[in-house]
Every structure is written in C-alpha cells, then in structure tokens.
C-alpha cells in the first residue's frame, strides 16, 4: 500500500474512532469513506455490517469509482457505498461520513414532509463555512428508499458542492467535505443544530403545557 493510502486509512480510522466515542454508531449503523486517488478514483469505505465502535485491521477496504473492491479481499463494502460513489463522482470532496443518530432521525421525521429543514441564528453555522450575520443553513431531506441505487440517485440531486449534507428520513445523515477534518467538523455542526433544535422544541412544548 502506498504511503498516501496508509495516511488516508489512518485518518479515516481516527475519524471513525472519534465518532464512536460520541456513540454515533448504534447497532452497526453508519459508514465512512475517504478518497485516496483521482483518475482513477479510489477510496477507502467501511466494511459492511461491522461494529464501527471497534477498531480492527479489517474495518475498511479500497474500492473503485463504482464502489467495487479494488483489491482482493473477503470484506464487503458498505451497503450504502453507492452514496459515497455519488459524492466522489459529483464533487471534489475528499471524505464522506454517514451516521444514524436519534436527533438526526427526529429532525428528519419532523420536517420530512417539507423535504428540508432550515436553521438560523446559531453561531455554530460558522463551522459550515458560512460567516454572514444571521446566516441560514438548509439541509434537504429525502425519502428512505430501500433500493440503494434509487436512494443514491435521489441523493445525488443534492450533491452539488464540495461540502454538503443530506438527511435521509428516519435513517440518518450523510455529510461530505474537502477532507476528513472538514467533513467531521461539518457533521459535528449539523448534529449540534439538530440536538439544539430538538431540545428547544421540547422545552417550548413543555412550557406551553405547564403555563396554560
Ligand atoms: C444497521 S443499520 C442499516 C444499514 C445502514 O443504514 C448503515 O448505515 C450501515 O450499513 P453498512 O452496510 O455500511 O454497515
Ligand atoms: Zn445508514
């Protein structure tokens, strides 16, 4: 394996460990990828069905631009590799992260019928690279199609920039960025927004019910 590939593998394994420390990999959910090369595109993607809280030497495999194993291996690429394929084929992103959290599922269900959710007036939005005063950020929400090629096609409609995020209704979020640092930073910012929103809505509801 080239030095560059080894570095990328180490980076994505480190991100996986950090997200695991946050307990964002419930019940083997979630998957991660990091780009290794362009022309031809290759990337490391997490192996399917593993407990992503554990760090082993068989957590990732190298795949090609179609998401097929690029080297001989008994590992199976993530069932959702096609979404990572869309990220690398539609943008110059270098890393893509997918997690199922309770907060991202709740937000996706609350706003699923609207097809998007918008946040504003939060300092953390600057972590997404948006520095204007009163900045807004909108996250699209797509249906959770069981057929992964269909899910990937619909997902791809929103993969239009080198950094972005899409919520899959009652499933999870996929966030991508220029590199592992940027993708993780963005994921943390989105999860902050979701968690804040869920808490403030619950408190407002509680206050309404106790004050009336
Ligand atoms: C156990 S959750 C269902 C599959 C899923 O949505 C996921 O994120 C994990 O699938 P993978 O094949 O990447 O392990
Ligand atoms: Zn998933």
């Amino acid at each position: 394996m080239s030095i560059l590939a080894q570095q990328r593998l180490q980076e994505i394994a480190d991100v996986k460990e950090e997200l695991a420390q946050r307990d964002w990999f419930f019940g083997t959910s979630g998957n991660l990828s990091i780009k290794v090369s362009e022309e031809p595109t290759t990337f490391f993607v997490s192996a399917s069905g593993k407990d992503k809280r554990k760090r082993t030497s068989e957590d990732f495999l190298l795949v090609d631009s179609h998401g097929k194993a690029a080297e001989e291996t008994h590992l199976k690429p993530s069932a959702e590799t096609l979404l990572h394929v869309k990220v690398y084929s539609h943008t110059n992103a270098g890393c893509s992260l997918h997690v199922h959290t309770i907060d991202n599922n709740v937000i996706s269900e609350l706003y699923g019928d609207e097809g998007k959710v918008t946040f504003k007036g939060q300092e953390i939005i600057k972590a997404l690279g948006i520095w204007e005063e009163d900045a807004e950020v909108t996250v699209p929400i797509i249906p959770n199609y069981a057929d992964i090629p269909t899910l990937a096609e619909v997902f791809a409609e929103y993969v239009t920039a080198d950094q972005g995020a899409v919520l899959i209704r009652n499933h999870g979020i996929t966030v991508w960025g220029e590199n592992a640092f940027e993708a993780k930073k963005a994921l943390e910012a989105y999860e902050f927004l979701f968690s804040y929103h869920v808490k403030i809505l619950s408190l407002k509801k509680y206050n309404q019910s106790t004050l009336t």
Side-chain angles (χ1 to χ4, degrees), residues 107-182:
I107 291 290
S108 75
E109 178 58 17
L110 275 178
Y111 296 94
D113 286 348
E114 291 163 45
K116 61 182 180 189
V117 57
T118 298
F119 302 97
K120 54 185 169 200
Q122 300 275 162
E123 182 72 7
I124 196 81
I125 290 174
K126 289 180 182 162
L128 300 168
I130 310 167
W131 288 80
E132 305 98 76
E133 196 152 313
D134 296 326
E136 283 191 5
V137 61
T138 296
V139 186
I141 305 170
I142 63 172
N144 185 25
Y145 296 104
D147 179 60
I148 299 296
T150 305
L151 181 66
E153 278 311 310
V154 176
F155 169 79
E157 289 171 30
Y158 301 96
V159 183
T160 54
D162 294 347
Q163 177 170 308
V166 174
L167 274 165
I168 308 167
R169 190 168 181 169
N170 276 326
H171 176 159
I173 191 168
T174 296
V175 176
W176 61 95
E178 192 188 329
N179 51 42
F181 177 83
E182 292 297 331

Side-chain angles (χ1 to χ4, degrees), residues 24-140:
W24 283 353
F25 293 128
F26 296 88
T28 74
S29 65
N31 35 75
L32 312 86
S33 71
I34 192 162
K35 189 160 74 178
V36 174
S37 67
E38 285 170 12
E39 292 175 18
T41 297
T42 59
F43 61 93
F44 283 114
V45 68
S46 48
S48 185
K50 299 251 176 179
D51 181 350
K52 281 98 190 177
R53 283 174 284 214
K54 304 251 164 31
R55 188 165 181 151
T56 78
S57 59
E58 300 199 321
D59 291 338
F60 294 93
L61 64 153
L62 193 70
V63 296
D64 64 18
S65 60
H66 304 288
K68 303 285 176 221
E71 298 168 340
E72 186 61 35
T73 178
H74 65 276
L75 299 174
K76 254 183 68 183
S78 164
E80 292 162 356
T81 298
L82 267 187
L83 278 73
H84 299 267
V85 163
K86 297 296 181 191
V87 168
Y88 301 121
S89 59
H90 286 56
T91 75
N92 292 312
C95 181
S96 168
L97 306 172
H98 169 73
V99 295
H100 303 194
T101 67
I102 297 168
D103 290 329
N104 72 36
N105 273 244
V106 169
I107 291 290
S108 75
E109 178 58 17
L110 275 178
Y111 296 94
D113 286 348
E114 291 163 45
K116 61 182 180 189
V117 57
T118 298
F119 302 97
K120 54 185 169 200
Q122 300 275 162
E123 182 72 7
I124 196 81
I125 290 174
K126 289 180 182 162
L128 300 168
I130 310 167
W131 288 80
E132 305 98 76
E133 196 152 313
D134 296 326
E136 283 191 5
V137 61
T138 296
V139 186

